[in-house]
Amino acid sequence: ARVLGEDIVSWRTSRLLSAGTWHGASSGAAVVSRLFTVNQGEDAGVRSGLAILLGETLVGFVESTGTHVCRATLLSDLSVQMKVRIGRFVEAGFILRDGHFWLHGAGDGRMVIRDVDRRLIDGRAIQVGDRVLSDSQTEVLPAALTIGRVSEITPDRDNQLFAVLGVRGALSVDSLRRV
């Protein structure tokens, strides 16, 4: 269903969708989305695999294209796995940590980095607030782009030698109007 608009009452976070009981929608039914549509397609040179950007922030990747629109998969989608780097701004500039990490989409606008060595956390090499960047060695992206920040660090429930990093995107996907 298309999102027709936001709720006119500012304290509610709801959307008006182009589907009703005629399409099988019922009160209390789950509404899920892992994709959004971009109003550019093959006619504008868009093709599958291209990155979706807002400025220098990576939002997702083109999944499929049509003549006038394309469908984009967000980085928070459960199917997303990509190599990333972690760094931080200090007085001397930006310091990029050694090594690569794997970002996984966790659904519901969330992203995580699993299997982070706890010694990096205990030694404060990685902290809440550090920047998460795309790997600049990919074929799709010519440079490292901002993805978000480390928003939380929790011990891995399955292995105490590792930690899981929660990643908050650099921008709210709900606020996107142009990419």
Side-chain angles (χ1 to χ4, degrees):
R2 284 185 305 116
V3 176
L4 300 177
E6 295 185 32
D7 198 312
I8 60 170
V9 181
S10 62
W11 55 268
R12 284 191 301 215
T13 56
S14 65
R15 304 289 187 269
L16 180 64
L17 304 178
S18 65
T21 55
W22 189 69
H23 287 99
S26 62
S27 294
V31 176
V32 296
S33 178
R34 66 180 186 90
L35 307 166
F36 66 92
T37 303
V38 179
N39 69 344
Q40 296 290 322
E42 293 169 345
D43 59 329
V46 177
R47 64 184 186 279
S48 295
L50 290 181
I52 303 291
L53 308 174
L54 177 63
E56 295 175 356
T57 302
L58 180 61
V59 176
F61 294 94
V62 173
E63 180 180 279
S64 61
T65 60
T67 305
H68 300 292
V69 297
C70 66
R71 184 178 305 270
T73 301
L74 304 177
L75 294 180
S76 60
D77 183 74
L78 294 172
S79 68
V80 171
Q81 294 183 24
M82 63 181 292
K83 194 172 7 172
V84 296
R85 304 286 306 268
I86 297 176
R88 134 178 357 133
F89 283 103
V90 295
E91 290 180 22
F94 190 79
I95 296 176
L96 197 57
R97 297 288 160 233
D98 290 334
H100 293 85
F101 303 89
W102 283 96
L103 178 87
H104 299 267
D108 196 28
R110 298 175 300 120
M111 297 168 280
V112 295
I113 299 173
R114 294 187 177 92
D115 300 327
V116 177
D117 189 326
R118 282 291 300 264
R119 292 176 292 188
L120 294 173
I121 308 304
D122 296 340
R124 303 190 52 79
I126 296 176
Q127 301 176 28
V128 170
D130 285 353
R131 309 286 173 131
V132 178
L133 308 170
S134 64
D135 180 30
S136 61
Q137 304 300 315
T138 67
E139 297 173 8
V140 176
L141 303 170
L145 299 170
T146 300
I147 291 173
R149 291 179 183 230
V150 175
S151 59
E152 65 179 327
I153 301 172
T154 57
D156 188 322
R157 288 180 285 167
D158 299 326
N159 188 338
Q160 293 298 313
L161 297 175
F162 294 106
V164 177
L165 309 179
V167 178
R168 177 179 295 133
L171 52 89
S172 168
V173 177
D174 291 339
S175 67
L176 289 178
R177 297 294 174 254
R178 294 187 64 80
V179 291

